[in-house]
Structures are given as C-alpha cells and as structure tokens.
Amino acid sequence: MPKYSLIIPVYNRPQEIDELLSSLTEVSFNDFEVVIVEDGSTLSSDLICKGYRNKLNITYHYQKNTGPGLARNTGASLAKGDVFIFFDSDCLIPSDYFEAVEQQIDKIDCFGGPDMAHQSFSPIQKAISYSMTSTLTTGGIRGGKKKLDKFYPRSFNMGIKRNVFEALKGFRDIRFGEDLDFSLRIVEGGYKAVLIEDAGVFHKRRNNMKSFFKQVFNSGIARINLNIWHPGSLKLVHAAPSIFTLGYIIWGIISIFIPQLSILLLLPLLIFFIDALVKNKNIKIASLAVVASMVQTFGYGTGFIYALFKLIVLNKTDTGAFNKTFYN
C-alpha cells in the first residue's frame, strides 16, 4: 500500500490536471498514489489521467457535482494510503516536496505548506499570488510563522493522517470556507497541525480580477458564518480588511470636499507597489499586484461587512450560499 494518497478534486480543468500530473512524474519520491475526483465536470480529465497510468499509480473517479469538500471526502474513501494530501487542481508540485514532508510527518497529525508563483505563471497570476501571500493583505491573517494568527492548513496544500481525517469525519457539506472549517476542527480536536515551510507548491489561483474578487468576497462571508460553528475563532485581526475598506471609502468621500487629503489615498497603493516590486523585481507584476491587493482587500472586506450586516441586522446566516456558482 502507498504511504501517501494525493487527493485532487477537479472541475472542468483537464489542462491543469495534465500540468499537475506532469509535475508529479518529476518528484524525487514514489511511495504515493494519485486519486482524481472529477466533480461533475463537462470537460473530462479521464483521457488525461489514462495517459499517466504507466507513469503514476493513479485512480480516476467521476461523480455528480457536490463541491470540493465532499469531492475530497470521496477521494478519501477511495484512498489506500495512511496519509492523505489534498491539492487543488491548479497546483504544480516541486520535485523535492516529499523530502520536506518526510522529515516531519512522523511527529505531526496534519500539515500545510506555503504557495508560490512559478516562473511560468502569467503576470496576473503572479500578482494575485503576491496578494494572497503578502502580510500586507489578508495573507497576513491566514496563519503560520511570521503571521498574525495560528496556523490553519488550507486545502490547496494540506496533509493529514488517515486516522485523524476519519475521526473528524472529513469535510463538512458547505462550499465556502470548508477547508477553514476543517482546519478549525483539527485544532479544536487537539491535533498537531504545523506549517512545513519547505513543502510549498506552485499555485496558479484565479486568472482574472473578477473571479478573484468573487473568491475573496465569499471568503469574507465564510469568516463571519464560521464563527457560529466555532465560537471565538473570529479575531479582531480578521476585521482588518473591512476596517481598511470602510476607512478608504470614507477618506475618499472626505477628499472630494478637501482635495488636499486625496494624496493619502495613494499611500497604500505605493506601499503595495514597492513591496511587490522588491519581491518580484518586475514593474508590470508590481503594478498588477497593486490592483490585485486592492481587489483582495476590498473583496474580503465587503464580504465580511455583508455577512456581518446579515447576522446582526437581519439575524441570518447562509453557510451553504452560492452552491451553483462555486467553481466560476
């Protein structure tokens, strides 16, 4: 039996699965299987997977659409390994990934790793990657070393031992925040979850600002709603993007009447640009990173405010919202 089971849900992204599987053929480790769960796609990855059967120990399974959380549960039910590793379909796996995991897996229950931008990614993908990993944006509240909160593994790159996964009964039937909910249950259950800094993956994320805004808007909603299931998980730092969003809008309105103050609206843009330029050494990527950072902060912030308004004023929550449009 393989030691590791790599579980990957996919929806209408056969090209990404091809790239991910190709990267797995280059890793310096072979004690793993790959379980692909096609979650109701109309663009099948079946032929792609068949093309790798003489290179990888691979299982392909098609199911009706359920969303990524339940698709991962399906993959876990088919898996044979003692350790489950969940990847998103838009990831590429570095050749030395398992070397870093092997050094710690016997001492921990669960782990996550960072995400990075591969040199082959487009400028906009690199810009979005910057905004999702920078401590100047909501990347700073995602948890981990040198971050502002505890580390909570995310499902784009999450490893967990089979017995822990089964004890927690897998992912809950929700489509937004399902991985954070699962991570919160891991920590609340007293299991040891750590960040393995050298077990990073290259993560493409979204490829346009519209879909990126939608993603982070829903993340803001999920943060409010999940506090109902996990009282105390919502911290003041999680409100930082919404505070920035409201402050920026109010300052913009004030600047209409006092134009001299409008110069301060440029300050966060300049900070994002300089930080992104230092990290990427590319003016185009740094410029796009300014847009991505503002989209992320405003998207998360407005989603957070929207859900907070519904909770406090309307006394409503909707953890199962947006079911039909999750993958868009």
Side-chain angles (χ1 to χ4, degrees):
M1 295 296 177
K3 181 174 182 177
Y4 297 96
S5 293
L6 314 186
I7 300 169
I8 305 157
V10 59
Y11 180 80
N12 284 344
R13 294 183 176 186
Q15 180 58 41
E16 289 182 352
I17 286 295
D18 190 16
E19 294 171 354
L20 189 157
L21 294 177
S22 178
S23 71
L24 286 173
T25 64
E26 303 295 327
V27 300
S28 54
F29 188 85
N30 60 14
D31 193 9
F32 65 86
E33 65 171 342
V34 183
V35 181
I36 304 293
V37 180
E38 188 92 64
D39 192 28
S41 301
T42 55
L43 298 175
S44 176
S45 301
D46 189 19
L47 289 178
I48 297 294
C49 294
K50 286 179 178 176
Y52 283 92
R53 283 183 177 162
N54 61 345
K55 301 177 183 178
L56 297 167
N57 178 6
I58 187 168
T59 298
Y60 170 86
H61 176 82
Y62 179 89
Q63 67 174 29
K64 291 183 179 179
N65 181 262
T66 63
L70 295 190
R72 296 185 194 105
N73 289 351
T74 298
S77 71
L78 299 170
K80 302 179 179 67
D82 291 326
V83 180
F84 300 157
I85 299 181
F86 299 101
F87 292 132
D88 281 356
S89 64
D90 55 357
C91 291
L92 302 177
I93 315 306
S95 61
D96 59 353
Y97 177 88
F98 286 97
E99 293 176 7
V101 174
E102 280 283 277
Q103 291 178 12
Q104 298 200 45
I105 193 62
D106 292 335
K107 300 175 288 185
I108 59 178
D109 300 305
C110 177
F111 71 87
D115 57 336
M116 308 169 288
H118 193 268
Q119 61 181 6
S120 66
F121 290 1
S122 69
I124 194 169
Q125 288 171 332
K126 292 178 180 178
I128 290 175
S129 177
Y130 163 82
S131 71
M132 289 294 284
T133 56
S134 172
T135 54
L136 297 177
T137 64
T138 64
I141 62 175
R142 291 171 64 82
K145 188 176 180 180
K146 301 178 182 178
K147 301 291 181 70
L148 302 180
D149 193 14
K150 294 179 181 179
F151 176 65
Y152 297 101
R154 301 302 176 96
S155 56
F156 71 89
N157 179 16
M158 173 193 285
I160 184 168
K161 290 182 176 175
R162 173 191 284 272
N163 64 310
V164 178
F165 183 89
E166 292 175 346
L168 295 172
K169 303 186 185 305
F171 291 87
R172 214 188 300 240
D173 186 12
I174 54 175
R175 297 207 180 199
F176 291 101
E178 84 292 339
D179 59 344
L180 179 55
D181 166 68
F182 188 49
S183 290
L184 285 164
R185 287 191 283 128
I186 291 170
V187 174
E188 290 164 1
Y191 298 105
K192 186 175 182 180
V194 303
L195 170 68
I196 302 180
E197 292 188 83
D198 293 330
V201 299
F202 300 110
H203 194 188
K204 286 185 178 179
R205 300 194 179 277
R206 308 298 179 174
N207 58 12
N208 64 71
M209 295 299 176
K210 181 179 179 181
S211 61
F212 182 47
F213 179 90
K214 183 176 181 180
Q215 175 191 3
V216 293
F217 180 84
N218 291 328
S219 294
I221 292 174
R223 176 56 79 171
I224 291 291
N225 290 337
L226 287 175
N227 192 60
I228 298 170
W229 287 342
H230 305 277
S233 64
L234 186 64
K235 307 290 175 46
L236 180 61
V237 67
H238 299 131
S242 58
I243 294 171
F244 174 86
T245 298
L246 287 174
Y248 200 85
I249 292 172
I250 292 171
W251 197 263
I253 294 173
I254 293 174
S255 297
I256 295 175
F257 302 98
I258 310 176
Q260 300 93 315
L261 298 180
S262 62
I263 189 68
L264 292 179
L265 295 173
L266 300 177
L267 183 59
L269 310 185
L270 181 61
I271 293 173
F272 286 139
F273 179 81
I274 293 174
D275 187 54
L277 184 61
V278 169
K279 292 179 178 177
N280 289 279
K281 298 177 175 57
N282 182 291
I283 291 178
K284 181 177 182 179
I285 295 173
S287 300
L288 288 170
V290 173
V291 179
S293 298
M294 293 299 285
V295 166
Q296 184 189 21
T297 306
F298 270 72
Y300 186 100
T302 53
F304 188 96
I305 294 167
Y306 168 78
L308 192 62
F309 175 83
K310 286 187 67 176
L311 178 63
I312 294 177
V313 179
L314 304 180
N315 195 29
K316 292 182 179 179
T317 60
D318 194 3
T319 53
F322 312 107
N323 284 356
K324 295 182 179 180
T325 57
F326 175 83
Y327 287 109
N328 292 342

